[in-house]
Amino acid sequence: MGEGTKPGQERRRFRAIKGVRDILPPATDLWNWFEKTARGVMEAYNFHEIRLPIFEETELFARSIGVETDVVTKEMYTFADHGYWDLELVRIRIVNNPPGHWDGSVVQSYRTQVANLIDQCRMLIGAGEIPDTPANARALSELDLAVNAINSSIPPVGMGSTQFDASILQIVHYARSLKFGDVVTLRPEATASVARAYIEHGMQTLPGDQKLYYIGPMFRRERPQKGRYRQFYQIGAEVLGTSDAPAIDAELIEMLTVLIERCRIEKWTLLVNSIGCPDTPERKGCRPKYVERLREELRKVKDKLGADSQRRIDTNPLRVLDSKLPEEQAIIEKLPKISDFLCEDCRAHFEKLKQELKLRQVAFTEAPRLVRGLDYYMRTTFEITSPVLGAQNALCGGGRYDGLVELLGGPRGIKGIGFALGEDRFIDAIEEAKKIHATRPVDVFIAWMGEKAYPTAVRLARVLREEKHTVELPPEEMKFRKALERADKLGARYALIMGEDEIKTGELSIKRLADGKQEKISEDALVDYFRPKAGA
Ligand code: HAM
């Protein structure tokens, strides 16, 4: 047994859970370079950072992204946000283990569990710990009735099995509907949160369009593979306001391409499409007509489609278009295109977008099947793909979502467009292009020896760090030979050598590690020595 292991405790090593990973130095240097560069580009376009919560009410995502999407149906990390797990377990037991037949003692114990649950809930609602909602009040009073119905019939005088079954069903149903707190989800994306924050803080009253960006982790329970993680990182930008001018879409896309160029990624393609507009109370949209036609056509070829696509014919036929199954591609090729169904306004918007992109010299390819996997989009959709990424080839994606703010209970007439890029994938593409080297070297390694040298070493380390140099100061004395070996291994540019002799004479030795050139300088000249020389 190891020292830290208690009797009966197995010795085990922990690993990061499936689909999540550690990003270690020196890779983090490149990540930091990338984030700094992205901030620089977005700030040049006058975007401001918004910091958002990592989790939100589940319903926010379900409503925004769409209840039939893969993200919402299969991929969200959802949990109950309250401190009553003991009660939750009682509730789960009541829902999942109702007595199947009349058995006095089993029924009695079930009844007691339900009665206790009701009492505890009432107490916690009274103390303001559990939400005092109409749904909870109804559930508790129905549970009361059902439990009394069972109670009054032990032994089962006058209670037929139908009545017993009905009471149990009533208990199961209402125990299931009790809520001890919010149901929350780790964010699978951030557009919904941006829209929620925009509404919550009344940002429509601020002058001009709100141009916001965010950086951070997102969570989707997808099948992990290269470029696809369960915790991944996005940098996203959103523009919210009353205008839907195609110049906004084009500027946002231009900004992305500038970032790609800064990263010196060369192999990439910008795909653009318009997916039309939905029905609104004022007017019929062009997309529903297309969706209906698509559904008709898909029904004709249903037998040739895989199970997922077959199901989507009814639930969300547009999603069939971005199926990746090789055997479905030829069928998809022959399906009607949304571009042939766009209404006048959508067509004009898309034409103007293309002109705007040309004006900005942003090369693009029209992709009539690019529908994207989230329900909030309308009109413009786009993606940038790169062949260097393999199967998960989307570097970033985005589009217009003019109805989202209203759908989430916000003011009418607020339009939105945005994108999110996958940082994990950008980093892969930057590494693949091999043009950016962002490791951060040690500038000065202080090789000190002797108690008398130590205070000077500590003081000079601080002076150089104030000058923004990266300085490594060994915490314990090292022999000079060892210290220089360590400096070499760390890739340090200079070693500053100080032993008791140097302290006595006030002359320090500086060794340039690339070529071993060594010279002596006085302490006063040190700061100047490391300052970039004019013209250098
Ligand atoms: P999305 O297409 O779901 O869009 O994700 C955007 C990007 O995030 C993808 O192109 C990809 O690079 C990256 N990504 C997505 N899932 C993963 C994963 N499991 N592992 C690694 N990278 C991943 C959105 O999220 C929208 N909110 C974009 C948007 C903003 N639309 C309008 N505004």
Side-chain angles (χ1 to χ4, degrees):
M1 201 172 2
E3 240 174 65
T5 325
K6 297 201 181 107
Q9 202 177 43
E10 111 193 70
R11 209 173 120 78
R12 61 169 290 214
R13 285 203 198 174
F14 293 92
R15 298 175 67 93
I17 55 176
K18 192 175 167 190
V20 313
R21 60 185 183 143
D22 305 303
I23 300 163
L24 306 175
T28 40
D29 290 338
L30 185 58
W31 281 70
N32 285 331
W33 174 87
F34 177 58
E35 285 175 8
K36 202 167 148 201
T37 305
R39 281 177 196 274
V41 171
M42 292 188 291
E43 284 165 13
Y45 282 78
N46 196 25
F47 280 72
H48 288 267
E49 183 173 5
I50 179 166
R51 297 207 180 192
L52 300 158
I54 298 281
F55 56 95
E56 299 264 7
E57 244 183 90
T58 303
E59 204 186 324
L60 171 70
F61 298 119
R63 203 179 270 206
S64 313
I65 300 170
V67 286
E68 289 300 340
T69 57
D70 282 354
V71 172
V72 171
T73 53
K74 302 183 193 158
E75 297 170 2
M76 297 208 300
Y77 285 98
T78 296
F79 55 97
D81 179 23
H82 59 71
Y84 299 102
W85 278 106
D86 46 348
L87 269 198
E88 195 72 79
L89 290 176
V90 173
R91 192 182 73 90
I92 290 170
R93 229 176 282 131
I94 290 170
V95 169
N96 290 300
N97 293 332
H101 60 281
W102 185 264
D103 171 337
S105 64
V106 174
V107 175
Q108 183 61 18
S109 125
Y110 187 69
R111 193 202 65 80
T112 311
Q113 282 180 42
V114 181
N116 286 343
L117 179 70
I118 298 172
D119 286 349
Q120 287 207 47
C121 284
R122 290 230 160 94
M123 192 192 75
L124 289 166
I125 287 178
E129 298 280 326
I130 283 183
D132 185 9
T133 58
N136 275 347
R138 165 102 200 265
L140 289 175
S141 72
E142 295 288 342
L143 285 170
D144 252 343
L145 290 175
V147 104
N148 286 333
I150 294 182
N151 204 19
S152 62
S153 55
I154 295 179
V157 180
M159 190 186 213
S161 66
T162 342
Q163 200 183 338
F164 170 72
D165 286 353
S167 299
I168 295 292
L169 275 179
Q170 191 171 341
I171 289 176
V172 168
H173 176 80
Y174 284 101
R176 185 176 278 137
S177 72
L178 268 178
K179 294 262 182 308
F180 305 142
D182 285 336
V183 180
V184 299
T185 294
L186 295 184
R187 61 183 187 188
E189 61 109 52
T191 309
S193 303
V194 172
R196 195 258 317 129
Y198 181 90
I199 299 165
E200 186 170 337
H201 303 288
M203 291 170 88
Q204 74 279 4
T205 58
L206 301 172
D209 288 339
Q210 292 308 300
K211 296 164 79 174
L212 305 165
Y213 77 82
Y214 49 86
I215 300 184
M218 308 289 156
F219 306 86
R220 294 185 195 175
R221 202 171 182 290
E222 293 193 81
R223 199 164 46 75
Q225 65 180 85
K226 185 171 161 39
R228 189 163 69 190
Y229 306 98
R230 291 182 170 183
Q231 174 173 340
F232 59 98
Y233 296 81
Q234 279 189 348
I235 298 182
E238 315 284 348
V239 185
L240 290 119
T242 48
S243 167
D244 62 358
I248 301 176
D249 311 29
E251 191 182 71
L252 192 83
I253 295 173
E254 177 196 299
M255 179 168 90
L256 255 173
T257 62
V258 167
L259 177 59
I260 293 186
E261 276 159 21
R262 294 259 170 103
C263 296
R264 313 213 20 217
I265 299 170
E266 277 153 16
K267 297 179 194 150
W268 56 274
T269 310
L270 164 66
L271 306 170
V272 295
N273 190 23
S274 171
I275 57 165
C277 56
D279 286 340
T280 61
E282 293 82 42
R283 64 191 283 272
K284 285 234 157 280
C286 52
R287 191 170 54 201
K289 284 181 213 142
Y290 170 67
V291 170
E292 236 358 272
R293 180 66 196 287
L294 187 63
R295 191 174 269 136
E296 274 167 33
E297 294 300 316
L298 284 169
R299 287 207 174 109
K300 292 182 195 157
V301 291
K302 184 171 178 181
D303 296 344
K304 300 194 188 112
L305 297 171
D308 273 349
S309 294
Q310 289 199 4
R311 191 171 40 80
R312 287 178 179 142
I313 296 178
D314 293 318
T315 57
N316 196 348
L318 280 179
R319 295 282 288 117
V320 176
L321 298 181
D322 47 41
S323 150
K324 300 275 182 297
L325 284 185
E327 58 274 24
E328 291 184 347
Q329 299 312 307
I331 304 169
I332 292 172
E333 242 346 273
K334 293 199 199 92
L335 292 169
K337 293 193 179 119
I338 180 109
S339 43
D340 296 328
F341 288 74
L342 293 181
C343 61
E344 258 327 290
D345 289 352
C346 287
R347 190 180 303 281
H349 192 274
F350 192 38
E351 288 308 316
K352 190 83 198 354
L353 167 66
K354 288 185 281 183
Q355 278 170 23
E356 281 276 354
L357 288 173
K358 283 183 192 143
L359 174 74
R360 291 155 201 267
Q361 299 188 335
V362 173
F364 62 89
T365 305
E366 279 187 59
R369 321 246 171 236
L370 181 71
V371 289
R372 313 243 324 117
L374 316 168
D375 276 5
Y376 48 62
Y377 291 117
M378 52 111 51
R379 289 197 174 151
T380 311
T381 54
F382 59 92
E383 243 170 49
I384 297 181
T385 59
S386 173
V388 305
L389 293 176
Q392 299 305 314
N393 67 353
L395 272 172
C396 54
R400 184 160 274 292
Y401 47 86
D402 292 350
L404 181 60
V405 166
E406 196 174 330
L407 180 75
L408 296 177
R412 297 187 71 179
I414 298 299
K415 320 278 178 16
I417 178 153
F419 71 80
L421 63 82
E423 272 195 89
D424 308 76
R425 297 185 192 173
F426 255 76
I427 297 291
D428 283 349
I430 295 171
E431 280 176 344
E432 214 279 336
K434 295 195 179 71
K435 295 276 170 57
I436 305 286
H437 302 284
T439 48
R440 195 167 39 77
V442 172
D443 296 316
V444 184
F445 186 99
I446 301 188
W448 62 273
M449 251 186 90
E451 255 172 52
K452 295 222 172 74
Y454 186 59
T456 311
V458 169
R459 185 165 45 78
L460 292 184
R462 179 134 173 197
V463 167
L464 291 172
R465 284 167 176 157
E466 299 273 352
E467 290 282 308
K468 306 263 183 333
H469 299 298
T470 301
V471 176
E472 182 64 20
L473 173 70
E476 285 172 295
E477 186 177 68
M478 290 169 97
K479 293 257 178 326
F480 281 133
R481 194 174 51 81
K482 272 240 149 28
L484 291 174
E485 271 170 26
R486 174 77 56 85
D488 228 16
K489 281 205 181 113
L490 290 176
R493 292 168 52 224
Y494 291 93
L496 184 60
I497 301 167
M498 56 183 90
E500 303 204 341
D501 284 351
E502 278 83 359
I503 301 302
K504 239 185 260 155
T505 58
E507 292 252 284
L508 308 170
S509 293
I510 291 184
K511 182 170 180 174
R512 191 159 69 192
L513 290 161
D515 56 9
K517 187 176 158 226
Q518 195 159 329
E519 54 189 308
K520 293 222 174 254
I521 58 160
S522 72
E523 204 189 302
D524 296 342
L526 187 67
V527 166
D528 268 351
Y529 184 90
F530 287 112
R531 282 219 172 111
K533 311 279 174 295

